[in-house]
Amino acid sequence: MATTQEISTIVNGVPVCDLFATIDAVKTTPSLAKFKFRISNQWQGGSCNLSTVGPFTGANQELAHPRPFVLEADEPEVLLGRDLAANPVEYLLHALASCVTTSMVYHAAKRGIHIHQVESFIEGDLDLYGFLDLDEGIRKGFREIRMHFKMDADVPEERLQEVFELGTGHSPVFDSLTNGVPVKVTAEARRFA
Amino acid sequence: MATTQEISTIVNGVPVCDLFATIDAVKTTPSLAKFKFRISNQWQGGSCNLSTVGPFTGANQELAHPRPFVLEADEPEVLLGRDLAANPVEYLLHALASCVTTSMVYHAAKRGIHIHQVESFIEGDLDLYGFLDLDEGIRKGFREIRMHFKMDADVPEERLQEVFELGTGHSPVFDSLTNGVPVKVTAEARRFA
């Protein structure tokens, strides 16, 4: 395809040629786009637990990361933890920031928009009055999340909003979090030896 | 309060006495329960970026973690990254698993239910056909997430479901993800020196 061969450079650190090749391959074989991501989590006592990122399914293959990524979680002392790691809601904010950023960078690269630097600041409001069962009317989750981006890119300032919307408009985490996801939970008793 | 003084032990690694003291304090002063969690994220080029977990607001104070927690993100090679770290959607699954686990452990401790071991396995389905702009009808986010828990606890097997529902019913991340959260995005151009 002429279009893909003409663009052979790296834009924003993204191999744009491979990106167009991926899009072409997926157009021909839509099942290549179906992914299943997985983690397993082990409770370590109290507020401590850790997840291991497992192999995933994608591009019609079972794929593994080169090494297991282990993610710890804890709670700060004010929430009765030992503050050894970020807490679950902080991980959620990281998932959101990183996903919107990567989605923006990829889709800008696809359009030939050069980005030089991006920073974002994310804040979320949580009222633990709900978590503590003191008022059923107060939700357990975030009431609101605010993201503020600062970016240096080769676009006129009036087009900046458009570029950010490439991120929010394509990000799997942004869509999951703003529109919700069905989560199915199953459980079994197990005596661990 | 008699109830809090009678329970002076650690249950599931949770200092139950402090948990009841927290609930009492929040009942008297509801503003103590209002938290703001924050991260900042720096793009590192391509699919790499990292978040630093910042100070947070809670219990009517500005609080800081004892050291900055730095969380990296990348994408696997099949998604044009270098596979140096978990990707954003894997972080989202970790946030979910860790939050449901901690919420279950705390609320079980509050009820005097002893838990010995917990493991969970989380899988989420993502169809990148949507992300690649090939079909507007396919969502960018997770279509479905499945969680499977295995637990050894001092409850009869028929009460196990109840214990898991303490987790899903109280978890801030589970609520945020299943019911959605409003996310406000602002942006500014910035020439980084």
Side-chain angles (χ1 to χ4, degrees):
Chain A
M1 225 181 109
T3 324
T4 68
Q5 282 159 11
E6 281 159 18
I7 303 164
S8 57
T9 51
I10 302 285
V11 179
N12 305 334
V14 179
V16 179
C17 199
D18 294 346
L19 180 55
F20 280 105
T22 301
I23 295 170
D24 286 345
V26 166
K27 262 187 207 162
T28 312
T29 314
S31 62
L32 289 170
K34 290 187 191 299
F35 279 69
K36 284 182 197 294
F37 291 100
R38 301 180 187 98
I39 62 143
S40 61
N41 183 281
Q42 282 78 37
W43 177 52
Q44 307 285 301
S47 53
C48 294
N49 61 71
L50 53 88
S51 294
T52 306
V53 179
F56 58 100
T57 306
N60 291 337
Q61 299 166 66
E62 287 304 305
L63 296 161
H65 294 291
R67 60 182 179 88
F69 300 125
V70 177
L71 311 173
E72 297 176 86
D74 196 0
E75 291 292 344
E77 287 181 13
V78 70
L79 298 176
L80 313 182
R82 293 192 298 155
D83 217 348
L84 299 174
N87 79 0
V89 297
E90 290 166 336
Y91 274 105
L92 182 68
L93 299 182
H94 167 58
L96 179 62
S98 60
C99 196
V100 172
T101 299
T102 300
S103 301
M104 177 174 71
V105 163
Y106 275 43
H107 279 277
K110 187 184 160 199
R111 286 157 182 78
I113 301 167
H114 290 257
I115 297 177
H116 303 297
Q117 209 157 340
V118 187
E119 278 184 15
S120 57
F121 304 86
I122 323 287
E123 183 178 70
D125 304 327
L126 210 58
D127 188 344
L128 294 178
Y129 213 72
F131 176 83
L132 294 171
D133 284 332
L134 295 172
D135 185 343
E136 281 298 309
I138 292 176
R139 75 176 296 185
K140 272 71 176 172
F142 277 118
R143 189 178 58 80
E144 183 182 279
I145 295 173
R146 292 169 297 281
M147 312 181 72
H148 184 69
F149 278 89
K150 294 182 184 181
M151 185 170 71
D152 181 2
D154 287 347
V155 288
E157 199 156 339
E158 64 273 17
R159 286 195 52 209
L160 205 67
Q161 191 59 33
E162 232 176 88
V163 181
F164 287 108
E165 284 169 11
L166 291 176
T168 53
H170 289 96
S171 160
V173 174
F174 188 89
D175 175 31
S176 297
L177 193 56
T178 55
N179 294 314
V181 176
V183 179
K184 288 191 183 159
V185 187
T186 53
E188 63 179 284
R190 175 161 164 208
R191 301 284 168 248
F192 295 84
Chain B
M1 222 180 112
T3 325
T4 69
Q5 280 158 13
E6 280 159 20
I7 303 165
S8 58
T9 50
I10 303 284
V11 180
N12 305 334
V14 179
V16 180
C17 201
D18 294 347
L19 179 56
F20 280 105
T22 301
I23 295 170
D24 286 346
V26 165
K27 262 186 205 160
T28 312
T29 314
S31 62
L32 289 170
K34 291 186 189 299
F35 279 69
K36 284 181 198 295
F37 291 101
R38 301 179 188 100
I39 62 143
S40 62
N41 182 281
Q42 282 78 38
W43 177 52
Q44 307 284 301
S47 52
C48 294
N49 61 71
L50 52 87
S51 295
T52 306
V53 179
F56 57 100
T57 306
N60 290 338
Q61 298 166 68
E62 287 304 304
L63 296 160
H65 295 290
R67 59 183 178 89
F69 300 126
V70 177
L71 312 173
E72 297 177 86
D74 196 359
E75 291 293 345
E77 288 181 13
V78 70
L79 298 176
L80 312 182
R82 293 192 296 156
D83 217 349
L84 299 174
N87 79 0
V89 297
E90 290 165 336
Y91 275 104
L92 182 68
L93 299 181
H94 167 59
L96 179 62
S98 60
C99 195
V100 172
T101 299
T102 300
S103 301
M104 177 174 71
V105 163
Y106 275 42
H107 280 277
K110 187 183 160 200
R111 286 157 182 79
I113 300 168
H114 289 256
I115 297 176
H116 303 296
Q117 209 158 341
V118 187
E119 278 184 14
S120 57
F121 304 86
I122 322 290
E123 182 177 71
D125 303 328
L126 210 59
D127 188 345
L128 294 179
Y129 214 72
F131 176 84
L132 294 172
D133 284 332
L134 295 173
D135 185 343
E136 280 299 307
I138 293 178
R139 75 177 297 184
K140 271 71 175 172
F142 278 117
R143 189 177 59 81
E144 183 182 280
I145 295 172
R146 293 168 295 283
M147 311 182 73
H148 183 69
F149 278 88
K150 295 182 183 182
M151 186 170 70
D152 181 1
D154 287 347
V155 287
E157 200 157 338
E158 64 273 18
R159 285 194 54 208
L160 206 67
Q161 191 60 34
E162 231 176 87
V163 181
F164 287 107
E165 284 170 10
L166 291 176
T168 53
H170 290 96
S171 159
V173 174
F174 187 89
D175 175 32
S176 298
L177 193 56
T178 55
N179 294 313
V181 176
V183 179
K184 287 191 182 159
V185 187
T186 52
E188 63 180 282
R190 178 161 162 208
R191 300 286 168 246
F192 295 83

